[in-house]
Amino acid sequence: MIRQIARMTSVLMCFVFAGCASQNAGPDSKSAEAKDSLEDVSKPVTIKVLRAASMSDELFQTLVVEPMAKKYPNITIELQNGKLEELIAAGETPDVLTYVHNNLPILRNLDLVEDMTPLLKKHNYDLGRFNTVYLDALRVNSEKGELYAIPYFAQTYALFYNKDLFDKFGVPYPKDGMTWEDATELGKKMTRIDNGQQYQGLNIEKITRISFPWSPTLIEKDKTTQKDRANVNNDTWKEIFNLGYRIQTIPGNYPNKDFYKGEVAMFAVVGDAFQNIKKVVEEQRFRVGVAQYPNYKELPNTYGMVDEHVIVVTKQSQHKDAAMKVVEVLTSNEVQMMASKSLARLSPLADPELQKQFGTEYLKDVDVRSIFKSQPAPGIVFHPYYQDARKLLDAEYAEVLSGQKDVNTALRVLEEKINKMLLAH
């Protein structure tokens, strides 16, 4: 017994100091057996979870707390509150995090993530259940193709439209397969003033939204110097800026109005819009239609780059096996089907039945099948200063929209500003 404890202690020390694996090319079979032994989840254990703002209290209870209590009653889920950095400083590092995957660089900088592959293999977790595009989007954001997180939701891209407005003005509804040029022309027809009310024909949210089908990066490594540099002054971003400008300078089509109040004919939206759509339908404000997200002619049947919500077992967790049960439950077929049918949450799993059942109990009177005629574009590498670069981009585009700069000047200035920001850091 003493020797066995000693061996287990040795293995645990290897995890803590991360040195034994490299020093011992061939660990003995007994050490490997101790390393791979599963924690007994029949004994009471508490798993601390910090959820992202995108997961509401209701979602957390429905998709995590309740199914965990049903399947693993001895695992207590403790919801943490506060900022992540403050919890770490207080010695209260979460066991599990739910996050948006474009913020994974933040978790890397805080040294909270590690390759989950060994833990997944230990639990015989089947990655083959997933649509590979969602896993690939995570792997490109690691150093060597590691998997730091597991996806549990993906964002939707759709063209919602107000059937009542199209009927009122005698204009045919949007069709699936429209290019952005088609959508722009339809937006011109629907942008008008009627009885003193200005209606917006086509709301694209913001310039970065319509850029996503190209999977464009804002910052990349110079292949020669290996230093980070701006990647914005190019033909792709010129096309995106010019398209946004053509749409948003349609007389009366900007600034954006509120689709949910009946002020917009077409809403090209990225993200979870279904909660608001459900209110519109239930309150009978107007009849809602759903069409395929507009395409660039060079990228047919492709909507925006992968945008997903992920769950992480932190590197510091002392109960990784129990924490892994949270991952398993949240991404189980049962919970994913419930989320798809009853909550209109897009699953990253490859099971076609999940798409077939999407929203069937959440929006019974709205046909959402057009969403699935497009596929997500590949995910990109998110630089730690990606969000800062996006703010700079939005500011430069605003000057184009206001007529203060032309597109070429704005992109040249944007490149200079991003490079200056990178040098400052």
Side-chain angles (χ1 to χ4, degrees), residues 40-326:
D40 185 358
V41 295
S42 67
K43 297 179 180 179
V45 61
T46 297
I47 296 299
K48 296 176 288 186
V49 180
L50 181 65
R51 60 176 171 80
S54 56
M55 182 178 276
S56 66
D57 289 340
E58 180 183 3
L59 279 179
F60 186 71
Q61 287 293 321
T62 302
L63 303 178
V64 178
V65 176
E66 292 174 7
M68 280 295 295
K70 182 179 179 181
K71 191 166 186 179
Y72 299 106
N74 290 307
I75 300 178
T76 299
I77 302 300
E78 178 186 317
L79 179 60
Q80 292 180 296
N81 295 302
K83 295 182 178 180
L84 181 55
E85 292 84 352
E86 294 175 354
L87 290 171
I88 295 171
E92 293 292 327
T93 301
D95 296 289
V96 170
L97 297 165
T98 66
Y99 238 62
V100 180
H101 94 286
N102 61 16
N103 286 328
L104 277 179
I106 296 174
L107 302 186
R108 284 181 59 186
N109 288 343
L110 293 171
D111 195 32
L112 289 173
V113 295
E114 63 182 354
D115 188 7
M116 288 183 62
T117 304
L119 182 63
L120 299 175
K121 288 181 177 179
K122 183 179 178 182
H123 286 259
N124 295 317
Y125 188 80
D126 184 9
L127 291 175
R129 299 165 55 234
F130 289 83
N131 184 331
T132 55
V133 70
Y134 296 114
L135 298 179
D136 290 344
L138 294 173
R139 293 190 190 281
V140 298
N141 280 282
S142 65
E143 294 180 356
K144 299 178 181 178
E146 300 96 333
L147 198 60
Y148 294 144
I150 296 296
Y152 64 89
F153 285 158
Q155 296 283 36
T156 55
Y157 291 71
L159 183 70
F160 293 102
Y161 59 94
N162 185 325
K163 289 184 175 181
D164 291 353
L165 283 183
F166 277 90
D167 289 348
K168 180 177 183 178
F169 299 136
V171 178
Y173 296 154
K175 296 180 180 180
D176 293 336
M178 289 195 306
T179 64
W180 278 110
E181 287 72 21
D182 297 331
T184 301
E185 290 304 310
L186 192 53
K188 289 179 182 178
K189 293 180 181 179
M190 293 301 296
T191 302
R192 61 179 75 193
I193 297 175
D194 185 72
N195 291 327
Q197 171 70 51
Q198 175 69 62
Y199 291 101
Q200 183 182 14
L202 176 58
N203 183 332
I204 60 171
E205 292 192 281
K206 58 177 66 176
I207 189 66
T208 46
R209 297 301 203 190
I210 64 170
S211 75
F212 287 170
W214 292 102
S215 300
T217 58
L218 301 178
I219 300 169
E220 67 174 10
K221 281 194 180 297
D222 186 296
K223 293 181 180 179
T224 303
T225 65
Q226 292 300 304
K227 292 182 179 180
D228 292 337
R229 67 176 184 182
N231 183 32
V232 291
N233 192 9
N234 53 51
D235 290 341
T236 297
W237 277 108
K238 286 177 184 176
E239 179 171 352
I240 295 163
F241 268 44
N242 282 321
L243 173 62
Y245 183 81
R246 290 196 300 272
I247 294 172
Q248 295 191 302
T249 55
I250 295 171
N253 198 52
Y254 193 80
N256 287 334
K257 291 188 172 294
D258 192 333
F259 176 78
Y260 306 112
K261 292 181 179 179
E263 301 171 340
V264 180
M266 295 181 290
F267 188 24
V269 62
V270 177
D272 180 26
F274 284 101
Q275 187 174 3
N276 289 322
I277 294 295
K278 183 178 177 67
K279 291 179 181 178
V280 169
V281 172
E282 290 178 343
E283 296 173 8
Q284 298 183 339
R285 299 177 198 171
F286 54 86
R287 292 175 301 134
V288 176
V290 183
Q292 186 179 8
Y293 197 76
N295 301 294
Y296 287 93
K297 60 181 182 294
E298 303 93 335
L299 302 169
N301 299 318
T302 302
Y303 57 60
M305 63 190 184
V306 169
D307 188 357
E308 56 192 334
H309 295 195
V310 299
I311 184 168
V312 176
V313 175
T314 61
K315 181 178 180 180
Q316 291 78 6
S317 174
Q318 298 298 306
H319 302 288
K320 291 181 182 177
D321 290 326
M324 188 61 204
K325 298 304 179 186
V326 182

